Amino acid sequence: MRLSRYFLPVLKENPAEAQIVSHRLMLRAGMIKQQTAGIYSWLPLGFKVLKRIEQIVHEEQERAGHIALLMPTLQPADLWRESGRYEDYGQEMLRIKDRHGRDMLYGPTNEEMITDIFRSHVGSYKDLPLTLYHVQWKFRDEVRPRFGVMRGREFYMKDGYTFDVDKASALHAYNRHMVAYLRTYERMGLTAIPMRADSGPIGGDDTHEFLVLAETGESEVFYDQAVTELTLGERAVDFDNRDEVAAICDEFTTLYARTDETHDEALFNAVPEDRRRVGRGIEVGQIFYFGTKYSEAMGATVVTQDGNRVPVEMGSHGIGVSRLLGAIIEASHDDKGIIWPEGVTPFHAGIVNLKQGDAEADAACESLYKALAGAGLEALYDDRSERAGAKFATMDLIGLPWRITVGPRGLAKGVVELTSRRSGESVEMSPEAAVARLVEIYAQHR
RNA sequence: CGGGGCGUGGCGCAGCUUGGUAGCGCGACGGUUUUGGGUACCGUAGGUCGUAGGUUCGAAUCCUAUCGCCCCGACCA
């Protein structure tokens, strides 16, 4: 993309309404525009990152054997009357009437709807296990939306629902999600720690929240420092192997890591003193096993191998996709702007032409731009007639992890400069070498 | 939902106490200049001062109502 043809309304000054750094940077980098309290338009740059994150979620869900579908944002109230939650949910649920006076609602979650789909089409143990998920807009009419997309009223979320014939299978589904989520967050450059949590209004027995450590987090967290060093990495996981998946979950949940909701002082004090940490975290996902809460209320049953009809065992699992943009920025920025991890960056690299209009510099930039595209990398080429300082400031603000700087001075020596946004280090090399280096870097983030 | 604050060109703000017909910085646009970290100068455009009503010869300024947004708390993915 040539910047002169893109839509990137960056701001030099901080908008007054934004307090926390991710909100400020998203506004300044031209990623979002608030339309009303807690509701945002996603401008091109923000939309690109949102889609990158969603794509990673899809890839990791598919890897775990889960199946995508799409449910609507608007739901009939009757389904929620069946589960009893229409009355229970309170003011957070946005209730609407259609022209016929029917009660509708903008879905805050989808347990009822997915259970309805299930009971309409599935009746046998032979169809299990089954995991259906979608990524869709949700709405919770928060009393006080704040922190930009981290706590909006409208939010984009992946929610998945598992159906199993018995509790042991359902717990495997739970574990499978934990492992899939671990890899999902790692690919986004995050350290997200699964912590034992409260089940809240969804209800259930087992639940973990995934928290990204950040000073601005809404939850107080208590953890063993060693838990932050665990990584799933590139290890191949057989998601059908219950023991293997359970072993990974044990590895990640044995060390102490809890939110204030479930914090246990005595257990925490058993952690070696030099590894004991208290901090704050941003919740970016949660997994639940809740058994037959909805299937019993809504009559979602299956016939087992021995001929009995039993309510299906269920769980649900969510990732806050839109919230993740805020969380990633909170975890990865400096005083100049955002620093995107390679896995979610909106463009793989930026090209800064230091002397727009100089025939040689222009030609070198064009050629780099094409070479990157040919290698499957998307570049943002700053071809504006701005001074170098302005171009650098924009690139730093929007946070592309790699920048190629092209100017007459370097070209005279046959080199361009490849700069890491994260470390600030620059290396001079030929344009060809810079492209090759970027290809190599991004090969590790596929 | 309790408490507090703010609505003035695209953005950030001043002006309001002590009413007299709107100003600054940034940005945009045009020009000259400059060109390796937000260049300097000159010029141009852009505002029913959130909205409605009231007081007054006269309201951004005072009064009333209303809408919106932000912050703290409670709540929450």
Side-chain angles (χ1 to χ4, degrees):
Chain A
M1 178 59 65
R2 286 168 174 79
L3 189 47
S4 63
R5 300 184 193 172
Y6 199 45
F7 180 62
L8 184 71
V10 298
L11 304 172
K12 206 164 173 176
E13 290 174 90
N14 280 321
E17 76 264 22
Q19 296 301 307
I20 64 166
V21 66
S22 61
H23 190 192
R24 280 205 304 267
L25 289 174
M26 286 182 79
L27 290 167
R28 285 195 54 208
M31 297 175 67
I32 52 172
K33 170 174 167 48
Q34 178 169 316
Q35 301 296 161
T36 183
I39 298 179
Y40 295 85
S41 287
W42 294 78
L43 305 183
L45 191 74
F47 185 57
K48 259 175 108 70
V49 180
L50 188 72
K51 287 292 161 183
R52 281 293 303 134
I53 291 173
E54 178 183 354
Q55 183 60 32
I56 290 173
V57 169
H58 277 298
E59 287 171 11
E60 295 308 320
Q61 287 301 301
E62 277 161 31
R63 196 201 296 264
H66 304 161
I67 303 165
L69 50 58
L70 185 62
M71 290 176 271
T73 53
L74 295 179
Q75 307 186 19
D78 285 346
L79 280 179
W80 289 69
R81 293 199 172 98
E82 284 191 54
S83 70
R85 285 207 293 180
Y86 190 66
E87 285 72 31
D88 292 348
Y89 222 93
Q91 295 277 296
E92 285 203 343
M93 179 186 277
L94 181 63
R95 294 151 207 263
I96 309 165
K97 274 191 201 296
D98 71 8
R99 66 194 298 164
H100 302 293
R102 294 186 196 109
D103 290 322
M104 312 283 285
L105 56 98
Y106 195 130
T109 177
N110 289 68
E111 279 82 7
E112 284 80 359
M113 188 161 273
I114 199 76
T115 305
D116 180 58
I117 291 170
F118 182 89
R119 71 182 171 184
S120 301
H121 301 290
V122 182
S124 163
Y125 75 95
K126 290 179 187 169
D127 298 319
L128 303 182
L130 181 64
T131 299
L132 300 171
Y133 78 95
H134 75 343
V135 181
Q136 177 63 291
W137 291 98
K138 311 275 192 297
F139 196 91
R140 290 184 196 167
D141 199 0
E142 298 280 349
V143 195
R144 193 186 155 209
R146 61 186 120 170
F147 305 150
V149 299
M150 294 235 289
R151 184 146 167 221
R153 293 194 291 171
E154 188 180 47
F155 55 100
Y156 203 45
M157 180 175 169
K158 173 263 166 182
D159 47 324
Y161 304 90
T162 55
F163 301 92
D164 286 277
V165 72
D166 55 33
K167 182 169 180 179
S169 307
L171 289 176
H172 174 238
Y174 181 91
N175 289 341
R176 205 171 59 231
H177 275 83
M178 183 179 294
V179 174
Y181 279 21
L182 287 169
R183 195 192 303 270
T184 301
Y185 296 124
E186 281 186 20
R187 282 188 59 189
M188 297 175 189
L190 290 171
T191 301
I193 306 165
M195 301 197 182
R196 189 170 301 282
D198 249 5
S199 57
I202 293 181
D205 307 322
D206 281 295
T207 177
H208 280 84
E209 290 177 339
F210 287 79
L211 286 112
V212 173
L213 297 176
E215 285 170 18
T216 45
E218 72 275 51
S219 314
E220 190 168 24
V221 295
F222 304 83
Y223 60 99
D224 183 332
Q225 169 65 25
V227 80
T228 64
E229 283 148 26
L230 299 170
T231 56
L232 193 61
E234 292 301 303
R235 69 180 103 163
V237 176
D238 175 359
F239 282 95
D240 291 326
N241 184 327
R242 293 190 182 191
D243 293 339
E244 180 184 343
V245 171
I248 296 172
C249 291
D250 284 345
E251 180 186 339
F252 280 83
T253 57
T254 301
L255 292 167
Y256 191 89
R258 294 194 180 191
T259 66
D260 47 6
E261 293 169 343
T262 53
H263 179 54
D264 182 320
E265 199 65 32
L267 284 174
F268 186 52
N269 287 335
V271 175
E273 194 172 0
D274 60 327
R275 293 190 348 218
R276 237 180 272 158
R277 298 283 187 281
V278 180
R280 301 200 72 81
I282 299 166
E283 193 193 325
V284 292
Q286 188 159 13
I287 54 178
F288 297 93
Y289 161 71
F290 49 68
T292 58
K293 173 174 168 155
Y294 297 94
S295 54
E296 270 186 56
M298 298 180 65
T301 59
V302 288
V303 176
T304 62
Q305 194 160 13
D306 49 22
N308 294 319
R309 181 171 291 275
V310 298
V312 70
E313 288 275 338
M314 292 175 63
S316 72
H317 319 82
I319 292 181
V321 174
S322 50
R323 161 176 277 207
L324 270 165
L325 276 90
I328 291 168
I329 295 170
E330 290 294 331
S332 183
H333 68 272
D334 62 16
D335 55 358
K336 293 178 194 158
I338 300 166
I339 305 173
W340 290 117
E342 276 83 353
V344 301
T345 185
F347 294 94
H348 296 103
I351 300 172
V352 168
N353 185 346
L354 292 172
K355 192 162 187 180
Q356 205 69 42
D358 177 272
E360 257 190 81
D362 290 359
C365 287
E366 287 294 334
S367 142
L368 258 175
Y369 182 72
K370 291 198 176 93
L372 287 167
L377 297 177
E378 200 178 1
L380 181 65
Y381 168 25
D382 192 341
D383 60 341
R384 297 172 301 166
S385 301
E386 292 287 343
R387 298 211 9 148
K391 294 190 178 189
F392 289 144
T394 298
M395 284 295 175
D396 288 346
L397 174 63
I398 69 173
L400 307 187
W402 297 94
R403 184 185 80 208
I404 304 178
T405 309
V406 180
R409 211 178 283 173
L411 289 175
K413 297 186 289 180
V415 299
V416 296
E417 217 172 69
L418 182 65
T419 306
S420 159
R421 174 69 178 86
R422 190 169 294 275
S423 71
E425 285 175 89
S426 291
V427 183
E428 289 192 339
M429 56 181 82
S430 70
E432 297 73 26
V435 172
R437 178 80 189 108
L438 288 172
V439 166
E440 190 187 335
I441 287 163
Y442 282 103
Q444 297 163 18
H445 292 276
R446 273 312 303 161

